[in-house]
């Protein structure tokens, strides 16, 4: 049995490691090299084993885990008509409709849309505490990490550039098989938010 403060510290440390596995691997790899340099080979071997376990976390279901503040995406969803797309800014506490593109983003129009998206995504988000926000987060996560292809493109803030926006517009407007009633309902659910 461990004390409650020790347990909270362990849970906090675990969350920090899962949020940035790469940083944790670097820190412990340094510890491993230091132990080996000090001829503490058993300790270095244990740390090496821990580092290899951390590497497996970066490839498994936890690979998408990030701090909630980093949850910022531009969603490009199919519009109601052919060759259109709806854009949504998704960040902690908010899903904001941004624009409806009626044509592929050109150089000037693309820059304008990117500026609008960056302003919306870089502004401070509210703290997601309500049940409605949790449902929105669940819906967006369902689309971000699906077991099957969904009709939309989510561009992380770090990857947001004009080429990514143009590629997303092409992707949501390429011909595809008929959308099932379930998929149509999911898209309409996101568009209704």
């Amino acid at each position: 049995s461990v004390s409650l403060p020790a347990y909270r510290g362990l849970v906090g440390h675990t969350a920090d490691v899962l949020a940035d596995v790469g940083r944790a691997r670097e820190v412990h790899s340094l510890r491993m090299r230091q132990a080996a340099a000090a001829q503490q080979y058993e300790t270095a071997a244990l740390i090496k084993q821990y580092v290899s376990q951390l590497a497996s976390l970066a490839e498994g279901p936890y690979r998408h885990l990030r701090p909630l503040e980093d949850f910022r995406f531009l969603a490009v969803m199919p519009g109601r008509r052919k060759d259109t797309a709806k854009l949504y800014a998704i960040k902690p506490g908010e899903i904001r409709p941004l624009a409806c593109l009626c044509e592929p983003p050109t150089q000037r129009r693309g820059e304008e849309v990117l500026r609008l998206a960056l302003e919306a995504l870089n502004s401070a988000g509210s703290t997601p505490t309500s049940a409605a926000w949790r449902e929105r987060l669940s819906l967006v996560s369902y689309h971000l990490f699906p077991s099957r292809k969904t009709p939309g493109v989510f561009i992380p803030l770090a990857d947001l550039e004009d080429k990514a926006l143009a590629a997303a517009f092409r992707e949501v407007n390429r011909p595809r098989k008929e959308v099932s009633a379930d998929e149509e309902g999911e898209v309409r659910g996101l568009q209704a938010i």
Side-chain angles (χ1 to χ4, degrees):
S1 169
V2 281
S3 68
L4 189 57
Y7 177 75
R8 286 183 180 145
L10 183 60
V11 169
H13 172 71
T14 302
D16 289 342
V17 167
L18 289 173
D20 193 353
V21 174
R23 183 177 53 83
R25 286 178 63 196
E26 289 173 13
V27 167
H28 292 291
S29 292
L30 176 63
R31 284 185 53 224
M32 178 184 65
R33 288 191 300 274
Q34 290 171 342
Q39 297 181 350
Q40 298 172 345
Y41 301 114
E42 290 178 9
T43 302
L46 290 173
I47 296 171
K48 181 178 181 179
Q49 184 179 13
Y50 180 68
V51 169
S52 67
Q53 289 173 342
L54 287 176
S56 69
L57 286 177
E59 299 165 359
Y62 295 107
R63 70 185 179 278
H64 298 297
L65 188 62
R66 298 288 179 274
L68 186 59
E69 191 52 40
D70 294 346
F71 192 83
R72 294 172 186 270
F73 296 88
L74 177 67
V76 182
M77 303 300 285
R80 295 190 187 270
R81 292 179 305 188
K82 185 180 179 197
D83 294 331
T84 63
K86 290 189 174 187
L87 306 180
Y88 298 87
I90 301 171
K91 61 184 182 175
E94 183 178 7
I95 298 175
R96 182 190 316 176
L98 288 181
C100 182
L101 297 178
C102 297
E103 60 186 27
T106 60
Q107 180 75 24
R108 186 186 60 80
R109 178 74 171 140
E111 288 175 2
E112 189 178 310
V113 170
L114 284 175
R115 183 187 48 76
L116 179 68
L118 288 170
E119 285 175 8
L121 291 171
N122 282 317
S123 64
S126 61
T127 305
T129 56
S130 71
W133 170 247
R134 286 191 297 274
E135 287 187 24
R136 289 180 188 143
L137 185 62
S138 173
L139 179 63
V140 170
S141 295
Y142 175 80
H143 283 279
L144 280 171
F145 313 116
S147 58
R148 59 180 166 69
K149 183 71 175 138
T150 57
V153 176
F154 291 80
I155 306 170
L157 176 60
D159 299 338
L160 191 55
E161 58 183 33
D162 55 350
K163 291 177 184 176
L165 180 60
F169 185 87
R170 285 191 306 274
E171 174 64 24
V172 299
N173 284 296
R174 74 179 168 86
R176 64 183 81 242
K177 64 174 181 55
E178 273 302 306
V179 176
S180 72
D182 285 344
E183 291 172 340
E184 181 66 23
E186 294 160 2
V187 172
R188 291 199 188 280
L190 185 58
Q191 290 175 341
I193 293 177

